[in-house]
Amino acid sequence: MKTIIHIGPPKTGTSAIQKWLKDHADCLMSNGVYYPEHQQDSNGISSGNFLSVFSAHNGDYVYSPQKLQDTIAKAQAANCHTLLLSSEFFFSRLPTLLKAIPDAQFIAYVRNPAQLHESHYNQSVKRHGNTAVIKRAETLPMHTLKRLGEYGQQLGKKLTLRAYHDDLFVNKSIVCDFLSVVFNNNDIDFDVKAPERVNPGYCLEALEIKRCFNYYELGQYAGRLDRVLQAYDKGIKQFTFVGKHQFNDYKRQSIRWIERLAEQAPFEQAEELIAVIQKQPHQHFFKQEVSKAQCIDVFNFIASQDRALLKSLALCVYAQPQVEDRFPFVAALFETVRPKEALPSFIQYTKDAIYSRYPTLIVNSEKTINTKKNDFRGYVCNLLQVRFSLMAYIKALLAS
């Protein structure tokens, strides 16, 4: 059986590809390609087929021959000639996969390192709680391109590299582009001209609002906030935080590294990708700041989508000892949700504080809190003194 493995790498449209493959698994199967079922979250994001090949073991993941054999057996039972696997987690584990499936073909995308640098920063704010402004990198991180170069030298024609850029995709669609590799440019009757966007980036205002919220203990509300902010489309969509001089420096570094990659692992779109990067102008530069009016607009949008969420988020902010230190973010929040509206009774406030700080605690149907160590009093003292200040509660109450 032919095996094709898509390894990403991260931030190269993997989520969009996987969502389409998952949604059209039956169509793929009718064309002889088996794509294993996998889970995805409410944003359409997943680890792809990683768990079709690897198993959890002692806090890490190890290759499972049995899982692979089971997956191949399912593909054979479906009368498919090709097994297609996709996961960003395969990128760092390619040597293991190659040893397990020596004849496998691999697909990876090459993205402009300068774009990748800023995209990684935005993602760190969006999903990983980063509160810092973007830092100037004298040398762009090139780990991904280095690894691709090493893989290219090792795999030769077993590795297919494609350029990650809208203007260079087949039919200007990454899904069409990906399928052109899977089906070797043969005509296929799939409607993929306008695939649904998956894991869209925030607009500038939403990104800065999320960066401000990251200063606070959001607990269970972080995921809900992420989904709402992804839907906010009234703000600035095209933006960069990289200045012109830095932009030109990054451009030179990017071109130099892609040229080096093309020497190690030749790919047909290398010159086109370099040309696109060379022609890219510096534009849409903005400082990392938002006005009070912009904050209010985003808060009003959150309220229109989920008023209870905004009240809960406001409580997370008002519960901090230094709540007033971040202007205009806090000032705009005070105008949108008055403290009296957000603050619950002190007992409920303490419960919310504990859940936000220690979301792994179990709250049962009688709304009593159980802990394995039975140190409830210690948790409460910690929260009131450090995380959820009693003085902050009183100050917010008086501010109403």
Side-chain angles (χ1 to χ4, degrees), residues 279-298:
K279 295 176 182 178
Q280 183 181 359
H282 179 254
Q283 55 185 355
H284 310 304
F285 172 75
F286 291 88
K287 293 182 179 180
Q288 279 190 259
E289 57 188 27
V290 284
S291 68
K292 184 178 178 181
Q294 288 172 312
C295 290
I296 290 175
D297 192 60
V298 176

Side-chain angles (χ1 to χ4, degrees), residues 230-274:
Q230 284 189 98
Y232 181 77
D233 61 357
K234 300 177 183 178
I236 300 167
K237 300 179 180 64
Q238 299 294 326
F239 64 92
T240 179
F241 299 136
V242 176
K244 186 174 182 179
H245 176 75
Q246 189 177 2
F247 171 83
N248 290 329
D249 183 35
Y250 285 174
K251 181 187 290 190
R252 286 189 291 270
Q253 291 185 43
S254 298
I255 291 172
R256 187 163 60 248
W257 272 93
I258 292 175
E259 288 174 340
R260 184 179 302 181
L261 172 63
E263 292 175 359
Q264 296 175 303
F267 62 107
E268 60 178 328
Q269 296 174 302
E271 292 186 3
E272 294 175 278
L273 181 58
I274 290 171

Side-chain angles (χ1 to χ4, degrees), residues 97-112:
L97 292 168
L98 184 61
K99 185 176 180 180
I101 319 172
D103 296 328
Q105 298 287 320
F106 296 87
I107 304 173
Y109 277 84
V110 182
R111 185 173 182 179
N112 178 357

Side-chain angles (χ1 to χ4, degrees), residues 116-136:
L116 199 59
H117 171 62
E118 196 159 7
S119 179
H120 278 307
Y121 168 76
N122 292 347
Q123 184 74 359
S124 73
V125 173
K126 181 179 178 182
R127 294 274 165 78
H128 303 293
N130 190 5
T131 60
V133 298
I134 193 170
K135 295 180 180 179
R136 175 183 174 86

Side-chain angles (χ1 to χ4, degrees), residues 205-224:
E205 295 87 341
L207 188 70
E208 283 299 286
I209 289 295
K210 182 59 167 63
R211 188 167 69 87
C212 290
F213 270 125
N214 286 345
Y215 281 96
Y216 306 97
E217 293 281 348
L218 300 185
Q220 60 181 314
Y221 307 115
R224 287 166 62 184

Side-chain angles (χ1 to χ4, degrees), residues 50-322:
F50 184 65
L51 294 180
S52 294
V53 184
F54 288 83
S55 296
H57 180 71
N58 292 335
D60 197 3
Y61 290 89
V62 296
Y63 164 63
S64 170
Q66 186 59 54
K67 278 194 171 184
L68 178 60
Q69 288 304 315
D70 290 345
T71 301
I72 292 174
K74 291 178 182 178
Q76 292 172 334
N79 295 317
C80 291
H81 53 70
T82 299
L83 171 62
L84 175 61
L85 302 171
S86 173
S87 176
E88 292 179 355
F89 293 99
F90 290 151
F91 183 70
S92 61
R93 292 173 169 83
L94 186 149
T96 300
L97 292 168
L98 184 61
K99 185 176 180 180
I101 319 172
D103 296 328
Q105 298 287 320
F106 296 87
I107 304 173
Y109 277 84
V110 182
R111 185 173 182 179
N112 178 357
Q115 290 182 334
L116 199 59
H117 171 62
E118 196 159 7
S119 179
H120 278 307
Y121 168 76
N122 292 347
Q123 184 74 359
S124 73
V125 173
K126 181 179 178 182
R127 294 274 165 78
H128 303 293
N130 190 5
T131 60
V133 298
I134 193 170
K135 295 180 180 179
R136 175 183 174 86
E138 295 298 332
T139 302
L140 284 173
M142 295 295 179
H143 171 77
T144 298
L145 292 188
K146 286 181 181 179
R147 183 68 67 87
L148 285 175
E150 293 168 359
Y151 288 161
Q153 290 180 316
Q154 180 182 0
L155 296 174
K157 293 183 178 180
K158 291 181 181 179
L159 175 64
T160 299
L161 297 180
R162 298 291 297 174
Y164 181 85
H165 193 282
D166 289 345
D167 293 340
L168 302 180
F169 294 147
V170 173
N171 295 336
K172 296 195 173 184
S173 161
I174 191 169
V175 174
C176 286
D177 194 88
F178 181 78
L179 293 176
S180 74
V181 179
V182 173
F183 290 95
N184 197 26
N185 291 313
N186 293 324
D187 291 334
I188 50 175
D189 187 20
F190 293 148
D191 181 17
V192 293
K193 293 181 180 178
E196 180 184 349
R197 289 193 68 196
V198 179
N199 194 21
Y202 292 166
C203 68
L204 184 149
E205 295 87 341
L207 188 70
E208 283 299 286
I209 289 295
K210 182 59 167 63
R211 188 167 69 87
C212 290
F213 270 125
N214 286 345
Y215 281 96
Y216 306 97
E217 293 281 348
L218 300 185
Q220 60 181 314
Y221 307 115
R224 287 166 62 184
L225 175 61
D226 176 36
R227 289 188 287 274
V228 173
L229 290 179
Q230 284 189 98
Y232 181 77
D233 61 357
K234 300 177 183 178
I236 300 167
K237 300 179 180 64
Q238 299 294 326
F239 64 92
T240 179
F241 299 136
V242 176
K244 186 174 182 179
H245 176 75
Q246 189 177 2
F247 171 83
N248 290 329
D249 183 35
Y250 285 174
K251 181 187 290 190
R252 286 189 291 270
Q253 291 185 43
S254 298
I255 291 172
R256 187 163 60 248
W257 272 93
I258 292 175
E259 288 174 340
R260 184 179 302 181
L261 172 63
E263 292 175 359
Q264 296 175 303
F267 62 107
E268 60 178 328
Q269 296 174 302
E271 292 186 3
E272 294 175 278
L273 181 58
I274 290 171
V276 167
I277 295 173
Q278 286 175 329
K279 295 176 182 178
Q280 183 181 359
H282 179 254
Q283 55 185 355
H284 310 304
F285 172 75
F286 291 88
K287 293 182 179 180
Q288 279 190 259
E289 57 188 27
V290 284
S291 68
K292 184 178 178 181
Q294 288 172 312
C295 290
I296 290 175
D297 192 60
V298 176
F299 293 148
N300 284 335
F301 176 79
I302 297 173
S304 71
Q305 301 297 304
D306 190 342
R307 181 73 184 182
L309 171 62
L310 185 62
K311 289 171 62 176
S312 298
L313 292 170
L315 174 59
C316 292
V317 174
Y318 298 154
Q320 305 301 311
Q322 306 301 323

Side-chain angles (χ1 to χ4, degrees), residues 18 22 36-41 44-49 51:
Q18 288 171 357
K22 176 180 169 64
E37 176 68 18
H38 58 75
Q39 299 296 318
Q40 64 185 28
D41 66 16
I45 301 169
S46 75
S47 60
N49 308 122
L51 294 180

